[in-house]
């Protein structure tokens, strides 16, 4: 009704302004004719075209130029296709219609939409220099010069989708396409992934097949979770409907549609499905221009909601673009009319090679135009393509389609949803969900509990942890044990057993949403699953029986000193004895008169024979003393250092002996993993499908390789079904079980006969595991960090490891250690002894020379001959340590109360008085 009224007003305006002669129907010279070519079914485009012209004409009231439109109906694509029989006729009809309009003089041609007639019209416009405007997707590389398209360039749209795929880091995805045009649109997406681990599978929507269920079933079986779909907006709903039927709209799936009109699809049934449904849009419905136009169009129509323009209250991209195309024409024309006076259209005949003079100028104005349209900033590259566009990235949420970011050719993908918004969205999705939790029953992580009323529930560290998380995130869970009771291992063909396998099945009946157990975060598992941050830290280690007491040894008295020290002591004893002997031979003060009453005796004796020297040193070493003692200063220096040595050694020995006698020695057949690998007495093993197996199997360390070879070749011994069996074997046989420290810690606190042997072989953590790309991983991971920081996980650990009948064996039976003292402990005493030896020796030499000098005077000999004589005697070691003096008038010297005899007398003389004279 309003439209009819509007048209009447426009007619009146034309008449009033003199553009239109109502009797002849002819237009005056100040108007511009444009032609719109539309297929009968493209009602919305046609209305957009006419409404836009009417509106913009009203806006230019007062100016001397008006635009008048003519709409010609054209037949769609298939009428032009070869082998239809009448395609030639159709073409002629189209030519006729365009030529008829050109004869009247036209400033531009809009449409048609279908590819074949459009190309035909474009070539006519090209021939007569008439600008051709379109608002449809056009993949052609080279375009007619006189053609301008407000639809975004195909390459740019392709790039946008490809960059999104890269942004999401999709390595495996499926492309579903509708027709050959789709492949042109998807070119960039197909090039988006490069690399050996990237894989794209391509599926075509079969137009003859009503249902897509078998395709979706197949995709599901193949584990395709990321899907790019290129189809018309009309096909989106049937596709999603079929996907929903095969449960492919769960939170693990991501459907990205390349259509720019996802906003026009009714997605009500899918917004709670959990699947990630995304697309891009050019027309932002919240934009002021769009809101204004939509309000206007609603008023123009009798029934707004069924308006073909709004396609169910949604402004379709091509409809909005047609509006922008008209806007572009108006803007360019009004600028051109300001710049060039008296421009007018020209009657052109299709039969003549004529052209519109102004056409080129008008086209150049269009190409240089830059304005805000319904589709954002409208501007063109020099070849008339629309490459500078901004696309909104939209995502289906529980409140409908929501813009989560945008894409621009220069800035690329920009996701603007804040962290809080994303969390809120994820929490909303999680609400009221019942997660299936897979586990392996193992103490103290997760166990079955028989209630007094006969019901069976679950308990354990993991249940408490899940309940803590549940307290902060609203969800429910059910727990089941994985059928094969395994943790999970790659079977070699990409298939996994155990909990990992169930998590990977994510959509089947046996699917699991998360694994809660003592499940180790490993590199291999991380490739196929998502893990939360670790909640426990641990490492591989060995559990074995506590060591037994060693039987007493016969020669345990030797233990306080190491064998080296005993050898050094023996060497020191021999060395000191010999040095004492030597010093005594050289020192004149060790030669004494054996008959003190016979002072005149020339006969002198030395008490330090070899045997006596040995006796003296052993006597002092044994703290018993002896009946001989050195007289010379040099001998006494040596003796003193020996006394010091024996004092320290004996005290050290005694002290350490006490420790050895009081401490009972415990013996274990091995003290670390290397010793375990070396010996054959104790067998050892691991659980067969856990991360510990992976550790040994993939190790390059020779010890671990050897151990894995043993376990692999003796699976009866080397692989136990679970940790319970492993611990039982340790208790009942000579067996060492290798598993993770957290489990061992739990067991040794309850089984006092068990102990952990050696340190940790590696370091890793337990985490909650989720299927890859699960939306819950980040949410729950954050909660785990929170519980770590608030020490709630530590409290749970204490509860399940220490409090619940743990800590029984906490009394440290004190492995007080007593070890033999080595050379490094007593080395200093040896140094002192050597010092004493050297000092004694030097002093003995001095004494020797001093005496030789004195005797040389008395004997009237040269010092050298006296020295050599004395030396000869001293080194005659086999002889008896006795001698006679030979000098007359020589006299024994009394020094420090010790009587000295002159050295090396050749003759025995009784008159000693003479000697002293
Ligand atoms: N926690 C290990 C896993 O996640 C199982 C125990 C083990 O391998 O020692 O595979």
């Amino acid at each position: 009704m309003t439209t009819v009224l509007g048209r009447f007003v426009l007619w009146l305006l034309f008449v009033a302004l003199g553009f239109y002669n109502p009797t002849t129907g002819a237009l005056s010279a100040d108007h511009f004719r444009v032609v719109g070519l539309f297929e009968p079914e493209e009602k919305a485009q046609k209305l957009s075209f006419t409404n836009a012209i009417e509106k913009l004409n009203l806006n230019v009231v007062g100016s001397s130029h008006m635009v008048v439109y003519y709409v010609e109906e054209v037949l769609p694509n298939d009428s032009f296709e070869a082998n239809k029989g009448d395609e030639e006729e159709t073409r002629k009809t189209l030519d006729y219609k365009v030529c008829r309009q050109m004869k009247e003089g036209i400033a531009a041609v809009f449409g048609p939409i279908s590819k074949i007639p459009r190309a035909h019209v474009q070539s006519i416009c090209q021939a007569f220099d008439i600008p051709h405007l379109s608002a449809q997707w056009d993949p052609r590389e080279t375009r007619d010069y006189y053609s301008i398209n407000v639809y975004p360039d195909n390459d740019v749209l392709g790039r946008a989708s490809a960059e999104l795929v890269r942004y999401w880091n999709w390595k495996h995805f499926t492309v579903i396409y509708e027709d050959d045009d789709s492949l042109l649109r998807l070119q960039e997406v197909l090039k988006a992934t490069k690399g050996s681990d990237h894989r794209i599978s391509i599926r075509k929507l079969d137009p003859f097949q009503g249902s897509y269920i078998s395709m979706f079933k197949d995709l599901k079986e193949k584990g395709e979770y990321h899907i790019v779909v290129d189809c018309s907006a009309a096909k989106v709903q049937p596709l999603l409907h079929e996907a929903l039927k095969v449960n492919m709209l769960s939170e693990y799936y991501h459907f990205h549609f390349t259509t720019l009109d996802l906003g026009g699809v009714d997605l009500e049934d899918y917004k709670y499905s959990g699947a990630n449904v995304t697309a891009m849009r050019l027309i932002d419905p919240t934009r002021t221009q769009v809101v204004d136009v939509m309000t206007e169009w609603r008023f123009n129509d009798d029934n707004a909601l069924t308006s073909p323009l709004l396609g169910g209250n949604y402004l379709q991209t091509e409809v909005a673009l047609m509006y922008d195309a008209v806007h572009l024409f108006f803007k360019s024309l009004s600028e051109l009319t300001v710049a060039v006076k008296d421009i007018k259209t020209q009657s052109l005949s299709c039969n003549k090679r004529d052209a519109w003079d102004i056409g080129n100028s008008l086209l150049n104005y269009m190409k240089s135009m830059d304005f805000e349209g319904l589709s954002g900033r409208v501007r063109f590259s020099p070849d008339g393509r629309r490459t500078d566009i901004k696309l909104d990235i939209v995502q289906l949420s529980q409140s409908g389609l929501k813009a989560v970011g945008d894409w621009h050719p220069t800035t690329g993908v920009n996701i603007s949803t804040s962290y809080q918004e994303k969390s809120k969205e994820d929490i909303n999705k999680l609400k009221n969900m019942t997660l299936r939790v897979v586990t392996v029953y193992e103490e103290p992580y997760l166990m079955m509990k028989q209630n007094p009323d006969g019901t069976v529930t679950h308990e354990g560290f993991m249940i408490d942890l899940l309940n803590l998380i549940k307290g902060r995130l609203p969800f429910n869970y059910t727990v089941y044990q994985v059928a094969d009771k395994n943790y999970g291992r790659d079977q070699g063909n990409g298939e996994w057993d155990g909990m990992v396998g169930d998590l990977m099945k994510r959509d089947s009946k046996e699917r699991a949403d998360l694994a809660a157990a003592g499940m180790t975060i490993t590199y291999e598992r991380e490739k196929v699953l998502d893990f939360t941050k670790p909640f426990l830290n641990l490492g591989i280690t060995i559990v074995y029986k506590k060591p037994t007491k060693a039987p007493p040894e016969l020669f345990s008295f030797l233990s306080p000193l190491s064998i080296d020290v005993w050898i050094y002591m023996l060497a020191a004893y021999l060395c000191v004895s010999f040095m004492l002997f030597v010093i005594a031979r050289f020192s004149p003060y060790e030669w004494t008169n054996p008959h003190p009453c016979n002072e005149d005796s020339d006969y002198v004796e030395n008490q330090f024979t070899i045997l006596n020297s040995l006796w003296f040193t052993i006597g002092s070493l044994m703290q018993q003393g002896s009946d001989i003692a050195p007289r010379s200063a040099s001998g006494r220096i040596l003796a003193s250092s020996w006394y010091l040595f024996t004092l320290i050694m004996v005290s050290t020995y005694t002290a350490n002996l006490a420790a050895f006698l009081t401490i009972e020695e415990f013996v274990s057949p091995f003290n670390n993993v290397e010793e375990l690998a070396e010996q054959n007495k104790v067998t050892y093993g691991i659980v067969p499908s856990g991360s510990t197996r992976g550790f040994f199997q993939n190790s390059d360390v020779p010890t671990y390789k050897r151990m894995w070879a043993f376990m692999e070749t003796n699976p009866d011994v080397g692989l136990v079904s679970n940790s319970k069996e492993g611990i039982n074997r340790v208790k009942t046989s000579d067996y060492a079980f290798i598993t993770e420290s957290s489990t061992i810690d739990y067991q040794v606190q309850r089984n006092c006969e068990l102990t952990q042997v050696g340190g940790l072989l590696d370091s890793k953590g337990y985490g909650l595991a989720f299927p890859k790309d699960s939306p819950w991983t980040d949410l729950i991971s954050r909660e785990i960090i929170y519980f770590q920081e608030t020490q709630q996980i530590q409290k749970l650990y204490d509860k399940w490891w220490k409090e619940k009948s743990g800590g029984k064996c906490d009394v440290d039976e004190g492995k007080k250690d007593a070890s033999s003292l080595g050379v490094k402990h007593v080395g200093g005493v040896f140094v002192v002894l050597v010092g004493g030896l050297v000092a004694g020796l030097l002093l003995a030499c001095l004494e020797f020379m001093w005496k030789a000098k004195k005797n040389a005077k008395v004997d009237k000999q040269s010092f050298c001959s006296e020295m050599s004589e004395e030396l000869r005697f001293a080194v005659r070691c086999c002889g008896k340590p006795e001698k006679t003096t030979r000098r007359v008038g020589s006299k024994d010297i009394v020094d420090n109360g010790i009587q000295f005899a002159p050295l090396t007398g050749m003759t025995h003389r009784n008159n000693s008085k003479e000697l002293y004279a």
Side-chain angles (χ1 to χ4, degrees):
M1 203 55 193
T2 44
T3 320
V4 176
L5 202 70
R7 291 206 178 122
F8 180 66
V9 170
L10 190 69
W11 180 83
L12 278 179
L13 195 72
F14 275 27
V15 174
L17 292 171
F19 292 139
Y20 185 64
N21 182 343
T23 28
T24 59
L27 285 158
S28 77
D30 299 0
H31 73 273
F32 289 92
R33 290 165 65 102
V34 292
V35 188
L37 302 166
F38 297 102
E39 288 88 342
E41 65 271 24
E42 297 298 345
K43 244 169 124 188
Q45 294 258 354
K46 192 171 96 185
L47 282 171
S48 171
F49 169 73
T50 55
N51 280 3
I53 294 179
E54 284 164 16
K55 183 185 169 198
L56 293 166
N57 266 332
L58 287 174
N59 285 353
V60 294
V61 170
S63 90
S64 52
H65 301 95
M66 294 293 277
V67 175
V68 181
Y69 61 79
Y70 285 86
V71 174
E72 293 278 7
E73 211 163 79
V74 294
L75 291 171
N77 245 5
D78 43 3
S79 318
F80 289 84
E81 260 152 23
N83 308 323
K84 287 266 176 214
D86 52 358
E87 73 275 2
E88 198 47 51
E89 201 51 42
T90 324
R91 211 175 291 270
K92 274 187 192 156
T93 316
L94 178 63
D95 287 350
Y96 168 75
K97 285 180 178 171
V98 178
C99 292
R100 185 172 64 187
Q101 293 299 335
M102 288 205 310
K103 204 164 180 76
E104 299 293 325
I106 48 172
V109 178
F110 292 79
I113 287 162
S114 302
K115 246 192 304 178
I116 302 174
R118 190 170 69 220
H120 190 71
V121 172
Q122 275 173 355
S123 61
I124 299 174
C125 291
Q126 177 76 15
F128 296 96
D129 294 4
I130 295 179
H132 174 262
L133 290 102
S134 57
Q136 275 74 44
W137 172 74
D138 188 350
R140 287 175 307 157
E141 283 293 314
T142 46
R143 311 259 174 99
D144 296 312
Y145 177 74
Y146 276 89
S147 185
I148 190 156
N149 194 349
V150 287
Y151 198 95
D153 186 57
N154 181 47
D155 290 351
V156 177
L157 287 176
R159 248 183 68 201
S161 296
E163 282 180 21
L164 257 184
V165 166
R166 268 188 232 116
Y167 177 85
W168 291 319
N169 198 17
W170 286 0
K171 289 186 176 155
H172 304 165
F173 64 92
T174 298
V175 170
I176 298 178
Y177 72 99
E178 191 175 12
D179 49 30
D180 296 347
D181 284 350
S182 306
L183 288 177
L184 292 170
R185 272 191 290 268
L186 290 166
Q187 255 175 22
E188 291 291 322
V189 175
L190 296 175
K191 285 189 256 165
T193 53
K194 285 186 193 113
S196 53
D197 57 338
H198 289 60
R199 194 195 65 225
I200 306 177
S201 51
I202 303 172
R203 300 297 177 103
K204 185 172 189 233
L205 289 177
D206 191 345
F208 303 109
Q209 200 182 322
S211 159
Y212 310 117
I213 285 194
S214 56
M215 176 187 77
F216 281 129
K217 273 189 180 161
D218 190 38
L219 290 180
K220 195 174 162 189
E221 238 163 61
K222 297 212 159 83
E224 298 288 340
Y225 295 100
H226 301 142
I227 299 160
V228 178
V229 189
D230 185 282
C231 66
S232 64
K235 283 233 169 79
V236 171
Q237 210 191 22
L239 260 168
L240 287 178
H241 190 66
E242 310 263 280
L244 188 66
K245 278 190 196 160
V246 291
N247 195 20
M248 266 186 87
L249 287 191
S250 67
E251 49 282 349
Y252 305 116
Y253 289 90
H254 187 161
F255 285 82
H256 176 70
F257 290 94
T258 56
T259 173
L260 297 175
D261 281 318
L262 193 69
V265 180
D266 179 10
L267 298 170
E268 192 61 29
D269 293 347
Y270 317 108
K271 59 188 193 185
Y272 298 103
S273 65
N276 198 358
V277 177
T278 55
M280 289 198 267
R281 71 176 180 206
L282 183 66
I283 313 297
D284 176 1
T286 58
R287 227 181 143 77
T288 333
Q289 289 100 319
V290 177
V291 173
D292 290 350
V293 164
M294 281 176 76
T295 323
E296 210 172 293
W297 286 356
R298 259 189 224 118
F299 273 115
N300 283 352
D301 228 54
D302 293 339
N303 184 348
L305 288 177
T306 54
S307 161
L309 272 172
L310 299 176
N313 212 17
Y314 168 77
L315 180 58
Q316 287 164 30
T317 308
E318 289 189 352
V319 173
L321 286 174
M322 180 51 84
Y323 183 95
D324 281 350
V326 174
H327 203 169
L328 170 71
F329 173 77
F330 264 81
K331 281 207 152 259
S332 319
L333 187 67
S334 85
E335 286 195 15
L336 182 67
T337 49
V338 171
V340 186
K341 301 284 167 218
D342 294 333
I343 55 163
K344 32 174 112 65
T345 51
Q346 199 175 315
S347 169
L348 300 168
S349 164
C350 284
N351 303 325
K352 291 186 193 153
R353 292 223 51 84
D354 237 352
W356 184 33
D357 310 337
I358 310 296
N360 196 17
S361 311
L362 182 59
L363 187 86
N364 285 336
Y365 267 87
M366 284 186 199
K367 285 187 179 173
S368 60
M369 214 31 78
D370 187 347
F371 68 98
E372 284 294 327
L374 298 184
S375 57
R377 191 97 178 251
V378 180
R379 54 178 164 189
F380 298 89
S381 62
D383 61 345
R385 287 164 198 270
R386 197 165 165 202
T387 49
D388 188 6
I389 51 160
K390 186 176 144 277
L391 296 169
D392 289 337
I393 300 162
V394 289
Q395 184 175 31
L396 183 62
S397 71
Q398 291 187 355
S399 53
L401 266 193
K402 221 173 69 181
V404 290
D406 55 44
W407 179 88
H408 188 269
T410 47
T411 53
V413 176
N414 172 26
I415 298 292
S416 56
T417 22
S418 70
Y419 174 72
Q420 279 84 358
E421 277 174 325
K422 168 116 182 33
S423 298
K424 223 168 125 191
E425 185 77 22
D426 287 344
I427 291 171
N428 273 343
K429 277 194 204 167
L430 189 60
K431 230 178 239 169
N432 306 327
M433 278 203 73
T434 301
L435 302 182
R436 262 172 71 81
V437 178
V438 64
T439 195
V440 168
Y441 294 140
E442 185 181 357
E443 286 181 47
Y445 308 104
L446 213 152
M447 297 88 75
M448 293 247 269
K449 183 185 170 194
Q450 188 86 34
N451 292 320
D453 60 356
T455 55
V456 176
T457 48
H458 293 105
E459 63 169 1
F461 175 85
M462 298 310 310
I463 293 288
D464 284 359
L465 182 62
L466 285 175
N467 289 342
L468 275 182
I469 299 168
K470 201 180 139 191
R472 286 172 56 87
L473 297 173
F475 71 95
N476 287 317
Y477 64 86
T478 54
V479 179
Y480 76 96
Q481 175 164 238
V482 62
D484 60 10
K485 299 179 188 166
N486 280 332
Y487 280 83
R489 187 172 72 84
D490 189 351
Q491 304 296 298
N493 51 359
E495 304 260 316
W496 289 69
D497 67 352
M499 289 187 281
V500 181
D502 273 19
L503 286 169
M504 286 172 71
K505 280 179 211 148
R506 48 190 162 181
D507 302 302
S508 64
K509 279 214 185 76
E510 326 77 84
R511 71 165 173 93
D513 295 309
L514 84 105
M519 178 120 157
T520 316
I521 304 169
T522 66
Y523 173 70
E524 290 300 323
R525 287 176 183 169
E526 188 73 69
K527 284 192 216 162
V528 291
L529 301 179
D530 281 348
F531 279 96
T532 60
K533 297 275 179 301
F535 53 82
L536 277 187
N537 293 316
L538 46 111
I540 296 175
T541 187
I542 307 163
V543 61
Y544 186 62
K545 281 195 268 302
K546 276 198 176 140
T548 48
K549 285 174 197 161
E553 280 177 29
L554 188 60
F555 292 102
S556 57
F557 69 90
L558 289 174
S559 312
L561 299 178
S562 70
I563 190 78
D564 297 4
V565 175
W566 284 119
I567 291 170
Y568 283 124
M569 268 179 71
L570 181 67
Y573 163 65
L574 294 174
C575 184
V576 168
S577 305
F578 178 70
M579 287 308 290
L580 192 61
F581 166 74
V582 171
I583 286 172
R585 293 289 290 218
F586 276 85
S587 176
Y589 305 106
E590 291 296 348
W591 294 96
T592 53
N593 180 0
H595 310 291
C597 302
N598 181 7
E599 285 184 356
D600 296 336
S601 170
D602 276 355
Y603 183 76
V604 284
E605 241 179 34
N606 193 328
Q607 57 183 342
F608 282 102
T609 60
I610 284 281
L611 280 179
N612 280 355
S613 302
L614 288 169
W615 178 242
F616 170 77
T617 41
I618 198 76
S620 47
L621 183 64
M622 298 297 157
Q623 310 273 286
Q624 299 306 316
S626 66
D627 49 352
I628 50 170
R631 290 193 176 90
S632 62
S634 51
R636 284 175 181 182
I637 285 178
L638 178 58
S640 312
S641 56
W642 178 245
Y643 286 158
L644 180 72
F645 174 81
T646 54
L647 177 74
I648 308 275
M649 289 310 292
V650 169
S651 330
T652 312
Y653 172 81
T654 316
N656 212 24
L657 183 66
F660 264 85
L661 294 181
T662 49
I663 288 164
E664 287 171 302
E665 207 192 334
F666 288 90
V667 278
S668 176
F670 60 92
N671 291 307
N672 51 43
V673 69
E674 281 79 19
E675 287 177 18
L676 177 65
E678 289 298 330
Q679 54 81 53
N680 297 320
K681 203 175 135 250
V682 182
T683 49
Y684 48 86
I686 55 175
V687 288
S689 194
S691 54
T692 307
R693 177 188 178 133
F695 171 85
F696 282 99
Q697 200 168 355
N698 305 327
S699 177
D700 283 338
V701 178
T703 306
Y704 304 151
K705 269 176 136 176
R706 199 165 59 241
M707 289 175 84
W708 171 242
F710 165 77
M711 293 187 275
E712 198 183 20
T713 45
N714 303 287
D716 292 349
V717 182
L719 302 173
V720 293
S721 56
N722 53 39
S723 67
K724 199 170 175 187
E725 196 201 317
I727 297 291
N728 275 341
R729 282 205 198 183
V730 177
K731 286 198 225 165
T732 53
S733 60
D734 210 2
Y735 191 78
F737 181 49
I738 307 171
T739 189
E740 284 148 351
S741 54
S742 48
T743 310
I744 290 180
D745 190 19
Y746 178 82
Q747 292 297 342
V748 297
Q749 296 213 34
R750 281 150 190 82
N751 301 293
C752 299
E753 72 271 38
L754 302 184
T755 188
Q756 178 187 320
V757 183
L760 303 186
L761 310 189
D762 63 353
S763 168
K764 48 202 177 187
Y766 286 158
L768 293 175
F770 290 84
K772 199 100 197 127
D773 298 331
S774 167
W776 322 131
T777 318
D778 281 351
L779 277 183
I780 294 182
S781 206
R782 273 203 302 277
E783 294 308 316
I784 287 190
I785 296 171
Y786 171 77
F787 296 132
Q788 294 272 28
E789 280 175 10
T790 51
Q791 292 103 51
Q792 303 200 50
I793 290 188
Q794 185 57 43
K795 278 186 203 149
L796 287 188
Y797 183 85
D798 291 345
K799 173 182 165 188
W800 285 99
W801 266 257
K802 297 183 182 154
E803 286 161 24
K804 295 217 167 201
S805 58
K808 272 192 204 164
C809 326
D810 261 357
V811 193
D812 184 10
E813 282 163 5
K815 206 191 164 221
K816 289 176 215 129
D817 213 6
S819 53
S820 306
L821 297 173
V823 178
K824 60 179 182 297
H825 299 112
V826 290
V829 204
F830 283 89
V831 174
V832 173
L833 182 63
V834 171
L837 266 172
V838 173
L841 199 61
L842 285 175
L843 197 60
C845 289
L846 286 176
E847 283 171 347
F848 177 79
M849 286 189 293
W850 181 73
K851 204 68 191 168
K853 193 176 164 231
K854 262 186 118 187
N855 283 350
K857 235 190 238 166
V858 174
D859 292 347
K860 296 191 177 57
Q861 275 199 67
S862 72
F863 175 67
C864 290
S865 61
E866 187 65 34
M867 275 267 286
S868 62
E869 240 177 68
E870 297 286 346
L871 203 60
R872 240 179 315 196
F873 178 78
V875 297
R876 216 175 52 224
C877 43
C878 308
K880 255 185 108 189
E882 55 191 41
K883 58 184 176 182
T884 51
T885 55
R886 62 177 171 81
R887 282 170 302 278
V888 177
S890 71
K891 186 183 173 211
D892 275 355
I893 297 155
V894 178
D895 194 358
N896 292 337
I898 303 164
Q899 202 176 27
F900 282 81
L903 282 171
T904 60
M906 293 304 292
T907 52
H908 177 84
R909 226 178 267 164
N910 283 330
N911 189 359
S912 59
K913 271 192 184 123
E914 235 184 296
L915 280 171
Y916 299 124

